[in-house]
Amino acid sequence: MEFRTKSIHIGEEPNYKDGGTGDAVVPLHLATTFARKEVEIPTGGYEYSRSSNPTRKAVEDKFAAIEGAKYGLGFSSGLAAESTILFALVKSGDHVVCIDDVYGGTQRLFRKVFGEKYKVEFSFVDATNAKLVEAAIQSNSTLIWIETPTNPMLKICDIEAISKIAKAKDVLLAVDNTFMSPYFQNPLALGADIVMHSTSKYINGHSDSIGGAVMCNDDAIFEQIQFMQNSVGAIMSPFDSYLVARGIKTLGLRMEQHQKNAIYLAELLEAHPKVNKVIYPGLASHPQYELAKSQMTGFGGMISFEVKGDILNAKNFLEAVRHFVLAESLGGVESLIEHPALMTHASVPIEDRKKLGISDTLIRLSVGVEDIKDLEQDILQALAKA
Ligand code: P1T
């Protein structure tokens, strides 16, 4: 099956068996527990909803299908998915190599929780250079964690090259694929061991559900993560599973429109006199444009750019837009705009932000699927006020 067919049909095959009603859409199963006819056998295959739930199973089957994976798991947030991966696969005294420009919340989780509290060692490196990843690997390294493209600098890592290094050094590679969604990039096919998504973004796509997903192919990795998920209880609720399953059905359609609008606006911004620089993987000016074309099937809907001037010019712009909602998060049908240094990446130490290029004039756009004429007008009138 092709992507859009899978995203609609997998996990929602009508059930006519044993008096099943043949729902064309997965029902919302709110039951926390499931009755059995015999003491030792769960009659319908389900026991207790923390361990597994029919609505969650439907969305988990979709997660696996759209990433081309054997297994999918649904979590209560992207960070819950990340925490569970680390609890399952990393222990105190282990070392993790992480890309430097990682989402601020991920960096906080790694440094403050796993680093300071559980004594896991981290090296934050510029993983756009695979050699730096290789050089950072130590005898106690067990995991490499990358985001590509990164949040918010849209740096791109060579997944295939890093996966070869990981295999040679017997270290696992996990990729946060939130920015591209499974429609534009499939890290498992490029050699990654684990893929993670914040489903709060493109996968759900409507800014009305916080969730996370993990996909993998290896039986042992899956069993460890599933065991940990059931043990710590970081599960996607039935209602969120229902919403996310619904969102996935239009993921392909939405990603095409996000990208179309983003390409248009990236070119508009790049040519504008009040703009310093534009970072978008689909622009020939992006330093890894060739790599982007080779490992992704599209460029997505995220743009970062700097307005000319100082923080006041940036604030004027941010407060002047009308159709772009000034808010954290990304990947919804509505366009969002934010200031990484003051909002999503405020928890990243200031020296690190400076090194990464998260400046006071950097603005991040999550380009929605609205009519491009309205978005264009909005950007132009706000730039006039910047
Ligand atoms: O918010 P949550 O579902 O827990 O996902 C965390 C997360 C993980 N990975 C990436 C790449 C992310 O962008 C996020 C969340 N990011 C934002 C809220 C943001 O505005 O960037």
Side-chain angles (χ1 to χ4, degrees), residues 75-82 102-106 145 147-152 176-179 196-201 209-212 302 327-330 336 338 343-345 364:
F75 292 83
S76 47
S77 68
L79 286 176
E82 296 179 22
V102 74
Y103 165 58
T106 303
W145 185 279
E147 243 175 62
T148 180
T150 58
N151 181 1
D176 181 338
N177 197 24
T178 300
F179 267 38
M196 171 261 148
H197 288 269
S198 166
T199 61
S200 325
K201 319 298 180 208
S209 157
I210 295 284
M302 299 301 297
E328 300 199 3
S329 201
L330 58 112
L336 297 173
E338 68 113 8
M343 295 168 68
T344 49
H345 292 69
R364 191 187 75 181

Side-chain angles (χ1 to χ4, degrees), residues 7 37 50 61 68 105 116 141 147 181 189 252 292 298 302 323 346 369 382:
S7 65
K37 289 178 183 155
R50 172 164 34 75
D61 287 350
E116 288 178 18
S141 301
E147 243 175 62
S181 92
M302 299 301 297
H323 297 308
V369 302

